[in-house]
Amino acid sequence: MRQRQTLVWVFGLLVQAGAWISFIGAAAGLDSQVAGQSNLWLGFLILAGTAFLMATNFRGHAAAPAESGPFGGRRSFNPIAVLFLALATIWFLAGAWAEIFLRTSGAQQATFMVASALLTAIGLGFIARRMQWQIARYFAVVVQVLAGVILLGLALISLDWPTDIGASDLMDGPFPGAFLIGAGAFFSGLVFHRQARMGAGTGAVAAPGALFLSRALLLWSAFWWFVVVLYSLAAWLVTHYQIYRGQELFYDEAQFWLAYSSGIALSGFGFAKLAQRLQWRGLRWSALPNWFALALSTLVLLFQTYLENEMPETQVWAAYLALWLAAEWLMRYWPRAGWHLNTAWLKVLHVIRSVGPWLLLWPVGRYWIALWLQSGTVEQEQLLADAGWFTSGSWAQYLPVWLMMALVGWLMQRSRAGGWPVAPLAQWYRRRLVVLAALWSIVLVVVWNLTQNGAMAPLPYLPLLNPLDLTTCFAILLGFATYRLLLESTDGKPAVPPVWAARLPFVAGLAVYIWFNLVVLRTVAHYWGVPYQFDSLYASQFVQALMSLVWSATALVLMRRAVTRVARQQWMLGAALLGLVVAKLFVVDLSNVGGIERIVSFVGVGLLMVAIGYLAPYPAEVKKPAAADDEPVVQP
């Protein structure tokens, strides 16, 4: 090459290729026992050394001025230099892996293969740094990825991972190799990240694809850390905990989830601190597994407590608490570190952090209150039963909802102040989450009013002072407070459309009146022995007569109030209710031909209609003094 004799160095390449082919053919014909005694690593090492020497020679001559001839100049020597560097990497790695396959097996084999690949990558990184040869860094990345793929295949096939998670020795599984691959990918990603940042800061041209490789390697590292390393470490901790407790080794899902979730939570804390220290913003996304695990835990807990009516084990709650605390810390740490999320994603995180615990309050509170009410010895329970002393389960059902409503009220105050836990989404809490929480509470109360009789044993039933009616009163107050909160516009835009704002008082009044009717029906069910069921209440003539009188009295009150205020629409509403009562008398009450309830119903409604005719006639027009050309003014 120095003498510029192209045919000579081409002939040298052919001789070198022949030596390589001869060595490969000889090595392929050896059995495993002979190959183990033949020091194949030495032959591969010689091949790697000669290939690297030729790579450096070609790269050195690549800077020479362009020459004539088919093989002259920078253009031809650079690709040849890269090819020989790749061949040197392959020979070195093949020699190491050949010896490892011949002399080891199992987890030890996987670990040594990964270690040799990382040593190769380190060597390539040294070459890239010392010789300013950027392609060597890319070869180092390829070697790491290849080692990871092989380790994953060995773990799934030979090491029975992830099914075999009960090994007492952490080194008997894929943990060491996975840790090495994750660490190698992390540091390689950090190198590319610094290259990209230095290029952006100085205006220099960064390595091609440095930013993309930095992110890809960080993702590759996160996969090995969260999927393999933490998984294996959690299984090992559970195994040793069972050994310490003297238990029979078995797969305990709750214990494993606690160990794994704790690792995820601690990782989120550590990676956030490391991201700020290394000034690596991309590393902050390593906290995402914490949010995914928290969302998954929330869904599982809601499914078990609401749909399956089961209380998860203590370890599951401890895991949920660890994830929630880590998420809360991350949510407060990110803004202090200067990291800001998109508003849409921030809303998703607030839903996971706030809505899940709030929804879990009811099933958890119901379980513990019911457990407390049932506490006592068998003898004590028998004595209470013999004395006719029973405790209604409604206490456990209603009391947790009071706490949920109180928390919604507290969130209303915090949304006005704009502090924790609603910051920086106080307006969104006021118009979305608080409203949805209030609607959920109201829907829950509506369902209970239609299905529960309000029993509060061992105390006697009292209208309006039983747990169900008290819960309904709290829900009404919560709805009113929510309505006032929506009217307090902070951005100049009305949260409630004017059309709905005008109709909401009527809807609220109608809902309160329906609740009053249900209170009357529950009172009848308790004091007259009528089951609180639709068929039983509908078939009771006493209930029918009572409801006719209640509705007629309501019509009298509405129409009298309409007369005093000259409100014709309100008077028409009372008249419509009275017409409904008359229709009910002839369609329903008249079917009881010989019952005293029918007589009371007809007589009572008749007297009330007479009172309406005397006390609440149709409102007359109110004329105001006006000019001769003015028309009479009628107030609605």
Side-chain angles (χ1 to χ4, degrees):
M1 295 176 66
R2 292 180 179 177
Q3 301 298 326
R4 298 183 181 181
Q5 296 182 8
T6 304
L7 295 179
V8 176
W9 63 259
V10 171
F11 178 75
L13 291 181
L14 295 177
V15 172
Q16 185 74 14
W20 291 347
I21 295 173
S22 175
F23 176 79
I24 294 175
L30 300 177
D31 57 21
S32 58
Q33 184 175 1
V34 176
Q37 301 173 357
S38 300
N39 295 324
L40 292 178
W41 63 272
L42 183 58
F44 280 106
L45 184 61
I46 294 174
L47 293 180
T50 55
F52 179 71
L53 181 61
M54 297 182 69
T56 56
N57 287 332
F58 276 109
R59 185 169 184 268
H61 286 81
E67 301 175 5
S68 59
F71 301 101
R74 182 189 298 268
R75 278 187 170 181
S76 59
F77 285 165
N78 266 333
I80 297 175
V82 171
L83 175 62
F84 275 98
L85 181 61
L87 291 174
T89 304
I90 293 172
W91 294 136
F92 184 83
L93 199 59
W97 284 3
E99 291 294 324
I100 292 171
F101 268 110
L102 291 173
R103 303 180 187 279
T104 60
S105 62
Q108 188 180 28
Q109 181 183 89
T111 303
F112 283 156
M113 289 182 64
V114 171
S116 62
L118 287 183
L119 288 176
T120 305
I122 292 173
L124 289 169
F126 178 78
I127 292 172
R129 182 180 181 87
R130 188 62 177 262
M131 301 179 63
Q132 297 297 315
W133 201 354
Q134 187 63 33
I135 193 64
R137 285 195 173 94
Y138 298 124
F139 285 166
V141 172
V142 173
V143 170
Q144 292 181 62
V145 173
L146 178 62
V149 172
I150 292 178
L151 176 61
L152 190 60
L154 291 175
L156 295 175
I157 299 173
S158 303
L159 304 180
D160 295 330
W161 183 87
T163 57
D164 184 17
I165 63 172
S168 59
D169 190 356
L170 193 60
M171 300 301 168
D172 286 343
F175 174 81
F179 183 82
L180 291 174
I181 291 176
F186 179 85
F187 286 108
S188 298
L190 180 60
V191 170
F192 282 106
H193 163 71
R194 288 178 174 175
Q195 284 188 351
R197 191 178 63 181
M198 289 176 61
T202 61
V205 179
L211 183 60
F212 170 78
L213 282 176
S214 172
R215 294 173 178 174
L217 287 170
L218 181 60
L219 183 62
W220 183 243
S221 175
F223 166 78
W224 287 102
W225 176 258
F226 288 104
V227 178
V228 183
V229 173
L230 288 185
Y231 190 94
S232 302
L233 186 60
W236 179 79
L237 289 174
V238 170
T239 301
H240 278 263
Y241 175 76
Q242 293 175 354
I243 293 174
Y244 172 77
R245 295 290 300 272
Q247 300 176 352
E248 183 180 354
L249 297 182
F250 68 99
Y251 173 62
D252 191 318
E253 185 177 356
Q255 293 179 359
F256 174 80
W257 181 243
L258 173 59
Y260 187 63
S261 299
S262 301
I264 292 177
L266 292 175
S267 298
F269 172 82
F271 284 131
K273 287 289 187 180
L274 198 59
Q276 189 177 24
R277 185 179 182 85
L278 298 176
Q279 298 182 1
W280 191 359
R281 293 176 62 89
L283 187 56
R284 60 181 176 155
W285 296 108
S286 297
L288 281 181
N290 187 91
W291 288 102
F292 285 126
L294 180 60
L296 178 62
S297 296
T298 302
L299 293 176
V300 171
L301 290 174
L302 290 175
F303 177 79
Q304 289 184 334
T305 53
Y306 276 88
L307 299 181
E308 295 187 349
N309 200 23
E310 295 179 356
M311 185 56 55
E313 300 180 50
T314 306
Q315 294 90 337
V316 178
W317 289 109
Y320 180 78
L321 179 61
L323 293 170
W324 189 89
L325 290 175
E328 183 65 28
W329 181 87
L330 288 169
M331 190 171 288
R332 297 169 69 90
Y333 181 77
W334 276 36
R336 292 201 303 265
W339 305 332
H340 299 285
L341 278 175
N342 180 275
T343 303
W345 285 110
L346 189 60
K347 291 177 181 179
V348 172
L349 299 186
H350 272 263
V351 168
I352 297 173
R353 183 260 270 169
S354 302
V355 176
W358 184 79
L359 289 176
L360 288 170
L361 282 176
W362 180 69
V364 174
R366 181 185 60 175
Y367 172 81
W368 285 107
I369 294 175
L371 193 65
W372 175 72
L373 292 175
Q374 296 172 2
S375 61
T377 63
V378 178
E379 293 77 8
Q380 291 173 342
E381 293 180 0
Q382 186 61 41
L383 288 175
L384 292 174
D386 294 339
W389 191 274
F390 298 96
T391 303
S392 174
S394 60
W395 293 103
Q397 191 167 3
Y398 301 133
L399 293 181
V401 178
W402 296 3
L403 178 59
M404 295 175 68
M405 293 181 183
L407 283 178
V408 175
W410 177 71
L411 282 178
M412 291 181 184
Q413 298 300 325
R414 298 306 298 167
S415 65
R416 290 187 176 98
W420 183 88
V422 302
L425 300 174
Q427 185 71 9
W428 180 69
Y429 268 83
R430 296 176 64 175
R431 294 195 172 188
R432 294 294 183 269
L433 283 192
V434 170
V435 174
L436 291 176
L439 288 176
W440 170 264
S441 303
I442 292 173
V443 169
L444 203 60
V445 168
V446 169
V447 173
W448 286 344
N449 269 276
L450 296 176
T451 57
Q452 306 293 325
N453 62 0
M456 57 177 189
L459 301 177
Y461 174 84
L462 294 175
L464 301 180
L465 295 179
N466 58 82
L468 178 56
D469 290 334
L470 288 176
T471 305
T472 306
C473 292
F474 295 151
I476 293 173
L477 292 176
L478 182 63
F480 178 71
T482 305
Y483 176 69
R484 288 189 57 188
L485 185 70
L486 290 176
L487 293 181
E488 299 173 3
S489 177
T490 59
D491 55 1
K493 300 179 181 179
V496 182
V499 177
W500 285 101
R503 297 177 180 176
L504 277 178
F506 172 76
V507 174
L510 180 61
V512 172
Y513 184 69
I514 294 175
W515 168 61
F516 169 73
N517 282 265
L518 294 175
V519 172
V520 172
L521 293 176
R522 281 194 292 271
T523 304
V524 172
H526 279 278
Y527 289 101
W528 273 266
V530 180
Y532 190 69
Q533 298 175 357
F534 177 79
D535 295 337
S536 301
L537 293 172
Y538 185 81
S540 173
Q541 291 299 322
F542 176 79
V543 172
Q544 295 293 346
L546 179 64
M547 298 312 296
S548 297
L549 294 176
V550 170
W551 292 354
S552 300
T554 304
L556 172 61
V557 172
L558 282 175
M559 298 171 76
R560 177 58 185 171
R561 183 175 182 275
V563 170
T564 58
R565 298 197 175 190
V566 196
R568 291 187 172 182
Q569 291 183 352
Q570 185 175 333
W571 192 94
M572 294 300 296
L573 181 63
L577 181 59
L578 187 62
L580 178 63
V581 172
V582 173
K584 176 179 174 298
L585 287 176
F586 287 97
V587 175
V588 179
D589 297 39
L590 197 61
S591 61
N592 187 16
V593 179
I596 189 65
E597 294 86 354
R598 186 193 66 163
I599 299 174
V600 173
S601 176
F602 273 82
V603 172
V605 172
L607 292 175
L608 289 172
M609 293 179 67
V610 172
I612 290 173
Y614 178 74
L615 298 174
Y618 187 71
E621 296 180 354
V622 177
K623 297 182 179 180
K624 300 176 69 175
D629 56 343
D630 287 344
E631 296 293 333
V633 178
V634 179
Q635 294 184 357

